[in-house]
Amino acid sequence: MNELPNNPDQPQASVPAPSLAKPEEAQVPPVAPRVSGPAARGLFDRMAQPLPLAVIALATMLAVQTVSSHSRINSLRQDMARSLQKGNAVNAETAALARDVADQSKELQIKVGVLESRQSEAQSQQVALEQLYKDLSQNRDEWALSEIEQVLATASQQLQLAGNVQGALIALQNADRAVSSSNAPQFLTIRRAIAADIDKLKALPAVDLAGVALRLDNVIAQVETLPMLADEKPLLPVAPVRTTRRLEAAAAPAKSAAPAVPPESLGVGQRLLQTWSMWSQEMWDDVRQLIRVRSVDDPEALMLSPSESFFVRENLKLRLLNARLALLSRNEATFRDDLTTAQTMLAKYFDTRARTTQSAQAALRQVQANDLTIELPTLAESLGAVRNYKAKQ
């Protein structure tokens, strides 16, 4: 293929080229136009030579080739221009797509980072949960035994300090229920010890602490109404006594067999004697209301002021409350000491002839008759079984 010239507009130098005509055609001489005269014949002769014919053919071919090359180059230029325009548009779209892809990739990277962090957190939480579940599954029996030991220790303290037998029984029953829920054969020793302690507590003699405490509460509530020696009221007024005596004097003659003597038939001396007798009886009644003679062991009980009487009642209440606390804590020494002091105060400062005081003293004697000296067992057997099992693990 022949090379195209860089500038098809400029004339190119004539270069000899091989003849493109067929061999048969090259042997036939071209037909020259007819020219009249000698000049035409000389020109025809010159044209009829092979070299000019070849030059003419070559020039013709070059012209045709130049035209075709120029048209091809123009079409190529147009195609290249269209291709460049399309390439620029494609490049712009590609750049926009690349920017979108870059933004989306950044967002995806951020989301991937968040997901990775959450995944790491979830994995760490899963590992922690697995470890926790493993620890729980491994140490379930140990934790159950620790809880049972704590319950039994608390019940033992309450039993020794406060004598709370019912609380200790409830604690032992709860511990036995917790041990039996695990269905482990190695807990049989612990259950046997707990059952033995339950039997010991059930065999204790029952003391009605609630009933004794209620009796003490009743006595405490009656303290305000108990009469004291210092605030004792006088006996019945004189007027009803006089009226009763006059009625008895009027009814006496009717009962006697002798006929009644009218007052007019009495002499002056008899009327004066009767009047003096009635007047002396009335005067004696008045004097008896003013002055009273009583036998009291402690004279201070009669000379208490109202404020001192108030404090005596409050001290008696405190003694009874202390006795109640000692009863609930099974402190028999304090219980009996407070009851003895309360009975002494009742006999010293209060009127023991009144029914309320006598009923209060009787209630205190019944309370004091209760025996609180009960030897309470310990829960050492159950605690020892639990601790020995934990020590073997």
Side-chain angles (χ1 to χ4, degrees):
M1 182 178 179
N2 295 328
E3 294 181 359
L4 295 177
N6 294 330
N7 192 358
D9 296 336
Q10 295 181 0
Q12 300 291 329
S14 62
V15 179
S19 177
L20 299 177
K22 298 180 179 179
E24 292 80 7
E25 294 177 358
Q27 295 178 3
V28 178
V31 178
R34 295 181 177 180
V35 180
S36 63
R41 187 174 299 168
L43 180 60
F44 181 78
D45 293 335
R46 289 194 297 274
M47 293 292 294
Q49 297 179 0
L51 183 59
L53 291 174
V55 171
I56 293 171
L58 182 59
T60 303
M61 292 177 62
L62 288 174
V64 172
Q65 187 176 4
T66 301
V67 172
S68 64
S69 298
H70 185 70
S71 62
R72 290 179 180 177
I73 289 171
N74 289 332
S75 63
L76 287 174
R77 285 180 178 177
Q78 293 176 359
D79 294 338
M80 289 295 294
R82 288 192 294 270
S83 298
L84 289 174
Q85 290 178 356
K86 292 180 180 179
N88 291 332
V90 171
N91 289 333
E93 294 178 357
T94 304
L97 292 174
R99 287 193 297 271
D100 295 338
V101 169
D103 296 337
Q104 292 178 0
S105 64
K106 290 180 180 179
E107 293 179 358
L108 289 176
Q109 288 178 357
I110 294 173
K111 292 180 179 180
V112 168
V114 174
L115 290 176
E116 289 178 352
S117 63
R118 291 182 178 178
Q119 184 179 4
S120 62
E121 292 178 0
Q123 290 178 354
S124 62
Q125 291 178 358
Q126 183 178 1
V127 171
L129 288 175
E130 290 177 356
Q131 185 66 30
L132 181 60
Y133 179 75
K134 185 177 179 181
D135 295 339
L136 286 174
S137 61
Q138 292 179 354
N139 300 329
R140 189 186 333 178
D141 295 339
E142 183 178 355
W143 287 1
L145 289 176
S146 299
E147 184 178 359
I148 291 170
E149 182 183 4
Q150 184 67 28
V151 170
L152 292 178
T154 305
S156 179
Q157 291 176 0
Q158 290 291 326
L159 183 63
Q160 296 300 321
L161 296 177
N164 191 358
V165 179
Q166 294 297 326
L169 275 174
I170 293 172
L172 286 173
Q173 291 172 358
N174 291 335
D176 183 69
R177 193 179 301 109
V179 173
S180 62
S181 62
S182 62
N183 295 324
Q186 59 269 22
F187 290 160
L188 291 177
T189 306
I190 299 175
R191 294 193 64 187
R192 191 177 297 113
I194 292 175
D197 288 337
I198 289 175
D199 293 337
K200 289 179 183 178
L201 291 178
K202 288 183 178 180
L204 292 175
V207 179
D208 190 11
L209 297 179
V212 176
L214 286 176
R215 290 179 183 177
L216 285 176
D217 291 338
N218 292 332
V219 175
I220 293 171
Q222 293 176 2
V223 169
E224 293 293 337
T225 60
L226 295 179
M228 300 185 67
L229 296 175
D231 56 356
E232 186 177 1
K233 303 296 185 298
L235 296 177
L236 295 175
V238 180
V241 177
R242 295 174 181 175
T243 305
T244 304
R245 185 177 293 114
R246 289 175 182 176
L247 292 175
E248 291 178 353
K255 294 180 181 179
S256 61
V261 180
E264 293 80 2
S265 61
L266 295 176
V268 177
Q270 291 178 355
R271 285 199 300 270
L272 289 175
L273 182 62
Q274 187 178 3
T275 304
W276 170 256
S277 178
M278 293 180 60
W279 180 77
S280 62
Q281 289 294 333
E282 293 176 359
M283 185 174 61
W284 173 248
D285 291 338
D286 294 335
V287 172
R288 191 175 60 178
Q289 296 296 327
L290 295 176
I291 301 173
R292 297 185 63 186
V293 179
R294 295 189 58 188
S295 177
V296 179
D297 296 334
D298 191 358
E300 295 178 358
L302 298 175
M303 295 184 292
L304 293 178
S305 62
S307 60
E308 291 175 344
S309 300
F310 171 77
F311 286 114
V312 168
R313 293 181 189 274
E314 294 300 321
N315 288 332
L316 180 59
K317 288 181 182 179
L318 290 177
R319 284 292 182 178
L320 294 176
L321 288 174
N322 289 334
R324 188 177 186 277
L325 292 176
L327 170 68
L328 296 178
S329 62
R330 291 183 180 272
N331 189 354
E332 187 172 4
T334 305
F335 172 71
R336 297 193 180 282
D337 184 34
D338 290 331
L339 286 181
T340 303
T341 305
Q343 289 179 348
T344 304
M345 293 179 65
L346 283 175
K348 180 178 179 180
Y349 296 104
F350 293 86
D351 189 5
T352 57
R353 297 175 303 171
R355 292 183 179 179
T356 54
T357 307
Q358 292 176 0
S359 64
Q361 289 178 336
L364 291 180
R365 283 194 295 269
Q366 291 178 0
V367 168
Q368 198 171 8
N370 291 277
D371 189 10
L372 304 181
T373 57
I374 299 175
E375 185 177 357
L376 297 175
T378 61
L379 305 181
E381 188 172 354
S382 300
L383 286 172
V386 173
R387 289 168 181 170
N388 291 333
Y389 181 80
K390 289 180 64 178
K392 291 178 182 180
Q393 289 183 344

